[in-house]
Amino acid sequence: MSETRQVSIDPITRLEGHGKIELFLDDAGNLADAFFQIPELRGFEEFCRGRQGEDMPQITERICGVCPEAHHFASTKALDVCYDAPPPPRARLLRELLYNAYTFSDHLLHFYYLGGPDFLVGPYAPPLERNILGVVNKVGLELGAEVIKHRAYGQKIIEIVGGRPIHPVTGIPGGQSKGITPEERDEIEAMTASAVEFAKVTLEIFHNVLLTDESFTKFVSDKSQHMPTYYMGLVDETGAINFYDGEVRIVGPDGSQFAQVGADGILNLIDERTEPWTYVKIPYLKDIGWKGFEAGVDSGVYRVGPLARLNVCTQIGTPLAQAEYERFCEYFGGGPVHATFAFHWARLIEMLSAAERTATIIADPQIMEGPLRTPLGEPGSGVGVIEAARGVLIHDYALDDRGRIDDVNLIVATTHNVAAISLSIKDMAKAVIKDGNVEEGILNLVEMSFRNYDPCLACATHALPGEMPLVIDVHAADGSLRERIER
Amino acid sequence: MSALVVGWGNPIAGDDAVGLKAADAVAERVVEERLGGIDVIVTSEGGLRLAERTLGYERVLVLDARIGDAADETLSIERIAPRDGETAASATRHDGSLADALGVLRALRSTQLPAEVVLLSVPIEAPTAWSEEMSKTADAAAARLADAALRELEGIALG
């Protein structure tokens, strides 16, 4: 006879990737364990095998309906390596410009539309108020127009550089298929200047509204929501954050460097574990080993994403975001920062940095001159690593002698974070489920715990019904359904 | 009057591409018959991005798949109204349904929201593997979907 009870948070989702949260209670009605599942379509490797390598940037960007740019360029970068054809400076700048516009736009979306309402409006506010409408009511109607305008700016830059409004097509092995015109450059320049100002305004809102509000700061300071793990992210040769390129740096819970390797070395550092309850392979640091769903220096669990990137870098690399990063470090008394709710602040620092970076890149005269493509060598194998908005994305390809895909492996950001997300859910559920009593607010509080990571579940299709409600099933010890919480 | 026809789906998830294929057929007719004022796009983007694409159009038709009994030849036509609130009740927090996304844009006082968004959908079996091939059933459904879209467009085209 089982001595645990099961609480299922089971989204009845659109087909496009859905998650399920399993909470297991012990006999006393307290949390025993928690797992975060991501069912997915299977057989992607087989689907790709035999295709021409250069088709992969267009194929893989269809995996995700939210961040096609990340897959497009992770794929392109892998092909650069496969063909020993590093992109010339002009092409690299174009890619980085598009990519920083994507990062800016994605982080903006999360703060205003998705994660921010929890705190700007309040985590215990009624769901009908805890949304963008509540945000507008709180910070002013004029902000709404600015949000729409700057989302559109991000999309416009992606369209200009990426060659079409939806799903970029300009990334090719060894470079870019097209440049930009002087008129387009001028248009982008104006948009990036505005983006920097808007990112500054957003951080002011964060400071004035969130950092002065106990409903946010209590989650940041609550030690039960701090998780000392390893962290992984890309850094450039100066140790600064770089979303597009760099070496993979991993630091331990104490901040010391665990490893720093090029893209081709990353797969030697991690291993993947299978669990019977999920199709997703759970990565962990091979040399530390898998010790179960545990944080700490002896556990191979690591995190990626905005907080991880701030924890692995030694500087941000752009002046305004650097100043904000220093405030961040001062607030927490130095790094690494283990407060999971600090992801939100880290995300805004990155949003500012991405905006600054676009402004710097578009002002670089090299973006208008020079070759766009390096001649290709013979096909081989290659790994492309990039920072998706939500963390490290790895594309690993092997091409045959005719340039066809012989083998492929993708490790997406949310996969890196699966173990950590499970732990965060567990931490939160432990705090809110006591002696069999499931608090009314558990649904949103548990959501908030994984919303920090901005997990990407939207990696398959877009079939109806297009809804992603959450349901919590609370099962008694005998397995019977005791109550269901849904909305 | 300006209209946007959106084929929505994933071209590498089997029958989920039914909306894309239908949109391709609509695009051909738009070109052949030189219908003005109609743009056709195909996309695999999420709801929020898609909602942003609709700004500036007066009428939007979204052609999509829905999970159901693929043998059922019923074609669903529904008006999508912007929905306020509840956007936090989602498993995926960096995206939302089209109705939620339109609600977000309305809340932000967008002045460019389309007057009408119509969702036309046909049932498909849930894809279980990656594929660029659609079933014959889905092929036929795509043709019905395209015909229905063209009927909806009657009276919009500027000719």
Side-chain angles (χ1 to χ4, degrees):
Chain A
M1 187 63 140
S2 169
E3 295 187 346
T4 63
R5 291 185 299 134
Q6 183 176 343
V7 178
S8 294
I9 300 178
D10 187 4
I12 305 163
T13 74
R14 63 196 302 163
L15 184 63
E16 59 133 315
H18 59 284
K20 183 180 183 184
I21 296 167
E22 299 274 16
L23 305 179
F24 295 91
L25 308 187
D26 61 21
D27 259 357
N30 297 316
L31 190 85
D33 231 329
F35 301 106
F36 177 61
Q37 298 187 28
I38 310 174
E40 60 180 0
L41 296 183
R42 286 166 285 176
F44 191 72
E45 291 179 15
E46 192 59 37
F47 172 75
C48 294
R49 196 164 287 132
R51 295 172 181 279
Q52 287 302 126
E54 57 264 36
D55 292 342
M56 293 300 282
Q58 275 72 51
I59 291 171
T60 57
E61 70 181 1
R62 306 292 178 154
I63 295 172
C64 181
V66 176
C67 43
E69 296 83 5
H71 281 289
H72 183 72
F73 282 125
S75 179
T76 308
K77 289 181 66 183
L79 292 170
D80 292 342
V81 180
C82 287
Y83 284 103
D84 190 22
R90 184 182 178 196
R92 183 190 160 104
L93 284 171
L94 287 163
R95 289 183 185 181
E96 212 177 333
L97 173 63
L98 184 156
Y99 205 70
N100 278 274
Y102 146 75
T103 303
F104 167 82
S105 190
D106 197 284
H107 283 355
L108 184 163
L109 177 79
H110 190 271
F111 183 70
Y112 285 107
Y113 292 6
L114 306 174
D118 281 333
F119 303 109
L120 288 166
V121 184
Y124 301 105
L128 285 173
E129 296 172 16
R130 193 170 8 91
N131 52 41
I132 186 66
L133 187 57
V135 172
V136 168
N137 288 339
K138 182 124 184 189
V139 299
L141 188 56
E142 65 283 355
L143 185 78
E146 291 297 299
V147 170
I148 290 179
K149 182 173 88 175
H150 288 92
R151 276 282 299 171
Y153 282 176
Q155 301 302 321
K156 185 65 180 175
I157 295 171
I158 291 168
E159 176 182 343
I160 291 172
V161 182
R164 49 181 291 193
I166 305 165
H167 308 300
V169 293
T170 49
I172 53 177
Q176 287 287 99
S177 61
K178 71 179 253 322
I180 56 174
T181 66
E183 293 76 21
E184 289 170 335
R185 179 195 57 195
D186 294 346
E187 185 181 4
I188 291 172
E189 193 166 38
M191 290 189 285
T192 59
S194 183
V196 171
E197 292 306 310
F198 186 65
K200 287 162 61 179
V201 167
T202 301
L203 273 158
E204 282 175 23
I205 291 171
F206 179 84
H207 281 279
N208 295 337
V209 180
L210 266 63
L211 276 188
T212 58
D213 186 345
E214 200 223 343
S215 68
F216 176 71
T217 57
K218 75 173 184 183
F219 285 107
V220 171
S221 59
D222 182 352
K223 293 293 183 189
S224 75
Q225 306 303 315
H226 290 201
M227 191 196 304
T229 61
Y230 288 81
Y231 298 95
M232 177 191 289
L234 291 183
V235 293
D236 70 12
E237 63 279 6
T238 69
I241 280 178
N242 193 300
F243 304 120
Y244 169 74
D245 200 16
E247 292 203 321
V248 179
R249 185 161 191 248
I250 301 171
V251 300
D254 64 354
S256 62
Q257 180 169 305
F258 172 75
Q260 183 164 335
V261 295
D264 57 348
I266 179 60
L267 293 171
N268 297 326
L269 296 178
I270 59 179
D271 208 343
E272 295 177 292
R273 176 182 177 78
T274 57
E275 292 283 345
W277 43 268
T278 181
Y279 295 124
V280 171
K281 294 175 184 172
I282 301 170
Y284 61 95
L285 297 175
K286 189 189 297 183
D287 286 351
I288 304 297
W290 177 257
K291 308 289 169 51
F293 288 85
E294 299 290 340
V297 70
D298 296 324
S299 168
V301 171
Y302 61 94
R303 294 198 271 184
V304 300
L307 182 63
R309 289 189 284 254
L310 262 59
N311 281 336
V312 302
C313 76
T314 54
Q315 59 172 325
I316 298 298
T318 58
L320 296 173
Q322 174 67 24
E324 184 65 23
Y325 168 65
E326 288 167 10
R327 292 175 78 178
F328 174 86
C329 292
E330 186 181 343
Y331 182 92
F332 288 102
V337 174
H338 301 304
T340 302
F341 281 85
F343 262 95
H344 294 288
W345 193 350
R347 195 170 281 117
L348 294 186
I349 295 169
E350 290 193 338
M351 177 180 158
L352 177 57
S353 178
E356 287 183 281
R357 189 75 188 119
T358 57
T360 301
I361 293 169
I362 199 62
D364 189 331
Q366 284 191 97
I367 202 165
M368 301 303 295
E369 57 195 38
L372 282 165
R373 193 177 190 190
T374 300
L376 302 185
E378 294 300 313
S381 299
V383 179
V385 181
I386 203 162
E387 286 284 4
R390 40 206 60 80
V392 174
L393 170 62
I394 302 170
H395 280 218
D396 175 20
Y397 302 158
L399 305 184
D400 67 15
D401 57 3
R402 297 172 65 181
R404 296 175 304 199
I405 291 288
D406 199 32
D407 202 3
V408 56
N409 184 28
L410 312 183
I411 303 178
V412 303
T414 299
T415 302
H416 292 292
N417 277 335
V418 162
I421 292 172
S422 293
L423 286 168
S424 288
I425 290 168
K426 183 177 180 180
D427 288 343
M428 182 60 81
K430 262 186 180 172
V432 296
I433 299 176
K434 296 289 184 191
D435 303 326
N437 295 316
V438 180
E439 287 184 9
E440 279 296 308
I442 182 176
L443 183 58
N444 191 54
L445 291 170
V446 171
E447 277 185 72
M448 280 165 50
S449 67
F450 71 79
R451 203 171 294 155
N452 287 301
Y453 298 87
D454 194 12
C456 184
L457 312 179
C459 284
T461 68
H462 297 273
L464 290 173
E467 302 293 334
M468 290 173 279
L470 286 178
V471 176
I472 304 178
D473 284 344
V474 183
H475 295 271
D478 63 1
S480 62
L481 184 65
R482 194 183 77 174
E483 63 178 297
R484 169 169 285 186
I485 306 168
E486 61 185 328
R487 58 174 187 260
Chain B
M1 171 73 81
S2 64
L4 175 68
V5 178
V6 180
W8 200 18
N10 193 328
I12 58 173
D15 289 352
D16 190 50
V18 68
L20 309 181
K21 189 156 185 179
D24 286 343
V26 171
E28 282 180 22
R29 289 284 292 278
V30 166
V31 171
E32 283 171 8
E33 300 180 20
R34 298 184 181 182
L35 302 176
I38 299 172
D39 290 336
V40 183
I41 62 171
V42 291
T43 180
S44 306
E45 295 173 305
L48 283 164
R49 281 188 171 201
L50 176 57
E52 290 172 332
R53 303 262 177 233
T54 70
L55 296 179
Y57 290 95
E58 292 178 58
R59 193 153 189 248
V60 176
L61 301 184
V62 180
L63 315 183
D64 199 1
R66 66 173 187 276
I67 302 304
D69 178 5
D72 179 0
E73 295 190 356
T74 306
L75 187 142
S76 169
I77 301 177
E78 54 186 312
R79 267 64 186 168
I80 301 296
R83 182 168 55 192
D84 290 333
E86 308 247 4
T87 53
S90 169
T92 299
R93 293 311 305 139
H94 58 200
D95 201 7
S97 73
L98 182 56
D100 284 336
L102 291 168
V104 165
L105 295 174
R106 185 172 68 178
L108 292 173
R109 301 296 190 270
S110 171
T111 56
Q112 294 185 297
L113 273 180
E116 185 177 54
V117 178
V118 181
L119 182 62
L120 296 88
S121 64
V122 290
I124 63 166
E125 304 292 341
T128 56
W130 302 98
S131 172
E132 284 178 304
E133 302 294 323
M134 290 207 314
S135 66
K136 288 180 179 174
T137 307
D139 272 331
R144 291 198 306 278
L145 196 53
D147 288 343
L150 288 163
R151 284 195 297 275
E152 288 283 327
L153 290 169
E154 285 175 7
I156 292 179
L158 302 179

